[in-house]
Amino acid sequence: MKILVTDPIAPKGIELLKKEFEVDVMPEISYEELLNIVGNYDAIVTRSRTPVTTELLEKAINLKVIGRAGVGVDNVDIQTASKKGILVCNTPGANTIGATELTIGHMINIIRTIHKTHNTIMDYRWERHSFMGTELFGKTLGIIGLGNIGSQISIRAKAFGMKVLAYDPYIPREKGDRLGVKLYDDLDEMLAVSDIITIHTPLTHETKGMINKERIAKMKNGAIVINCARGGIIVEWDLVEALKSGKLYGAGIDVFSKEPPPKELVDAFRECKNVSLSAHIGANTYESQENVGIIIAEQVTKALKGLPVDYLVNAPFPDISVITLLKPHLDLAENMGSLAAQLTNEGIKKIKVEVMGDLAKNSKPIVSAVLKGVLKTMIDYPVNIINSTYLAKDYGIEVEEVAKEDSEDFKHYIKVIAYGDVQEKVVGGSLIENHIPRILQIDKFFVDVEPEGVMLIFENKDMPGVIGTIGSILGQANVNIAGFRLGREKKGGIALGVLNLDAKVSDDVLEKLKRIPQIISMKQVIL
Ligand code: NAD
């Protein structure tokens, strides 16, 4: 497998990758050059410099993994990557301390104007009295985004004697309690009482332009704004205006909507009294870079080896670690999806997955695995549990997920219902004794079948001699029967038979079998 490193990564990370794979390191490669060669690689490792666009992904015909050395993935087209089944992993937390300490640095720089007094001395001037500042002690800090970095900021701010507030609609309230931080439901309310506001969210459609003219107007007069998260969260020209008018006392900015920032913006900042700027260096510490390099190398290695990845960005369910734990259930669910799809003779409109018992809390990965099984029978495209939900939507399949703690006789049970235009097919299954995969239900019939290889599934009138006739036709065709299971409604009614075969049956033989008078329907299924 070949890996292309398109941005500077710590040598320790590259060494780790080279132990297992062929690695090309091109930290300054241009986008155009990358378009030409990306098709040769199984994985790319990037930082924020490389735009991983739809155009690039279309050319990346062998790409399986995108490793983003860092946290923000706004340079990666996650949706296209997900549809293509490409795993996107990153390194959350690896540069948390670097970004946290830089944020605190900007805060102190602004309140004590260290950068300005430095400049005067370098200008051979000694101005002790021009630089009066304020103190962090007793001030109120408003944190937008109480994730890894936001939390670390809160701990340090408390050590400085600050009162700490936060706005983050996506975290549980207990997190605020644990950190001793007052959580606000309304961002504007928090802004109105904060002396310093610091942003630590990702750049999303929600956060883009979140701090604009209107929001700044709601801040305290003389407030300070810090952004060491992502460019674009603050509308820069609105910030400049507020700094020039004196509405804001100062701003500390490490990230810009366009990097490097255009000359006009830099000129505008030069005219503002109190700005502390840095060139996107939040993660530029030796410790952070080494952490990021090692962690991304580990993630990409795991992903390429098919092992569970710790920091997967585009999994359709939050806790990726469950994949290892659930592996046998996921395999069964995939086979059940495939079986249900193959038994449905028409285009599938909807898939309903009922996940019962102790599996109910993990219904999402089970649904993804069922969809993978369904889609594999329909499309000639690599499907995995990352892209199966996206692809199902693309192919117009409605998905219904039901999670029930109650599973009657079983510890865990999965039921898949595939709906065509007219008919629906039901497949139920479970892991017997926690490890033996079994199909236990097909439509209204209860069976006990190993979901593996070639299977003949048929409905017949429950009369003597049917199985013998089938056996002799298969024998003449030299196809060995590996297993047989029967389910029936009642004696003399309709029965459902499942034969596990050692080889595939030809179309001619299948036609012959279907012509047996007692046979109502017959389908060959391959898992
Ligand atoms: P994180 O994922 O741990 O935390 C982000 C937090 O933002 C989460 O708690 C999330 O719930 C919250 N959030 C998301 N949308 C929100 C919204 N609309 N309003 C309020 N909160 C919202 O990420 P992190 O590791 O703490 O990183 C935070 C930011 O810092 C990211 O954008 C990351 O890319 C950036 N970063 C920058 C540098 C740098 O060099 N300047 C270095 C590291 C990280």
Side-chain angles (χ1 to χ4, degrees), residues 68-85:
R68 163 68 173 98
V71 180
V73 281
D74 36 287
N75 57 319
V76 180
D77 184 336
I78 299 286
Q79 203 172 346
T80 307
S82 306
K83 274 190 190 168
K84 289 182 157 293

Side-chain angles (χ1 to χ4, degrees), residues 181-456:
V181 169
K182 182 175 176 196
L183 275 183
Y184 276 70
D185 294 327
D186 184 330
L187 174 60
D188 292 344
E189 277 179 25
M190 184 185 82
L191 296 181
V193 293
S194 301
D195 298 302
I196 302 179
I197 293 128
T198 184
I199 302 166
H200 300 288
T201 67
L203 178 68
T204 62
H205 65 275
E206 238 176 59
T207 61
K208 189 164 186 226
M210 179 190 240
I211 300 301
N212 54 16
K213 204 181 201 144
E214 290 73 37
R215 280 261 155 67
I216 294 174
K218 289 174 180 154
M219 293 178 188
K220 269 183 164 182
N221 290 334
I224 292 168
V225 174
I226 316 272
N227 184 12
C228 289
R230 275 284 170 270
I233 299 175
I234 299 182
V235 178
E236 283 149 346
W237 288 101
D238 291 355
L239 176 72
V240 166
E241 194 185 308
L243 287 165
K244 284 188 177 171
S245 72
K247 165 72 191 174
L248 293 180
Y249 176 73
I253 308 288
D254 184 48
V255 286
F256 301 84
S257 336
K258 195 162 177 284
E259 293 179 356
K263 181 171 182 305
E264 313 83 73
L265 183 64
V266 178
D267 286 343
F269 278 134
R270 286 168 74 112
E271 289 165 16
C272 299
K273 270 206 226 126
N274 196 1
V275 283
S276 169
L277 305 181
S278 53
H280 202 151
I281 59 161
N284 285 17
T285 64
Y286 292 108
E287 295 88 338
S288 287
Q289 284 318 303
E290 199 163 293
N291 273 345
V292 166
I294 291 171
I295 294 176
I296 203 61
E298 288 168 353
Q299 300 300 300
V300 171
T301 304
K302 283 183 181 179
L304 285 179
K305 287 181 153 182
L307 300 168
V309 174
D310 311 290
Y311 306 119
L312 201 52
V313 175
N314 58 341
F317 38 90
D319 182 6
I320 205 68
S321 62
V322 297
I323 290 185
T324 335
L325 219 63
L326 293 179
K327 176 92 172 63
H329 295 284
L330 296 175
D331 290 345
L332 172 67
E334 182 181 330
N335 276 329
M336 290 174 61
S338 172
L339 179 57
Q342 292 182 64
L343 288 174
T344 312
N345 286 320
E346 42 184 328
I348 292 171
K349 298 278 174 295
K350 176 179 167 180
I351 293 288
K352 180 174 176 183
V353 186
E354 293 179 20
V355 187
M356 294 171 248
D358 63 4
L359 266 187
K361 59 182 181 302
N362 286 311
S363 56
K364 287 215 159 20
I366 297 291
V367 172
S368 297
V370 168
L371 294 176
K372 178 183 171 193
V374 170
L375 287 160
K376 266 182 17 188
T377 66
M378 291 169 51
I379 57 176
D380 183 19
Y381 187 87
V383 190
N384 56 30
I385 61 171
I386 301 301
N387 62 3
S388 61
T389 14
Y390 293 91
L391 289 174
K393 211 183 280 169
D394 266 12
Y395 281 84
I397 299 175
E398 188 193 332
V399 180
E400 187 184 342
E401 172 186 331
V402 180
K404 288 192 229 168
E405 304 250 311
D406 176 24
S407 69
E408 293 172 11
D409 299 336
F410 294 93
K411 209 171 153 209
H412 32 246
Y413 197 80
I414 304 169
K415 195 192 236 181
V416 178
I417 309 165
Y419 297 85
D421 263 336
V422 186
Q423 57 164 345
E424 58 186 64
K425 283 280 161 196
V426 182
V427 174
S430 183
L431 286 186
I432 307 296
E433 291 166 22
N434 273 334
H435 70 283
I436 307 164
R438 282 288 182 268
I439 301 292
L440 297 168
Q441 180 187 356
I442 296 177
D443 294 334
K444 57 190 175 207
F445 300 99
F446 291 96
V447 288
D448 181 355
V449 180
E450 192 182 350
E452 203 184 66
V454 182
M455 297 157 85
L456 273 186

Side-chain angles (χ1 to χ4, degrees), residues 172-185:
R173 295 212 81 81
E174 304 82 71
K175 184 165 184 189
D177 296 343
R178 195 164 18 95
L179 289 164
V181 169
K182 182 175 176 196
L183 275 183
Y184 276 70
D185 294 327

Side-chain angles (χ1 to χ4, degrees), residues 105-129:
H106 273 297
M107 252 183 236
I108 294 179
N109 208 14
I110 293 162
I111 58 164
R112 302 305 302 270
T113 56
I114 302 171
H115 53 310
K116 289 196 199 175
T117 173
H118 167 90
N119 286 346
T120 55
I121 295 175
M122 295 304 251
D123 247 0
Y124 310 105
R125 288 181 287 136
W126 184 256
E127 293 182 20
R128 284 194 66 207
H129 303 294

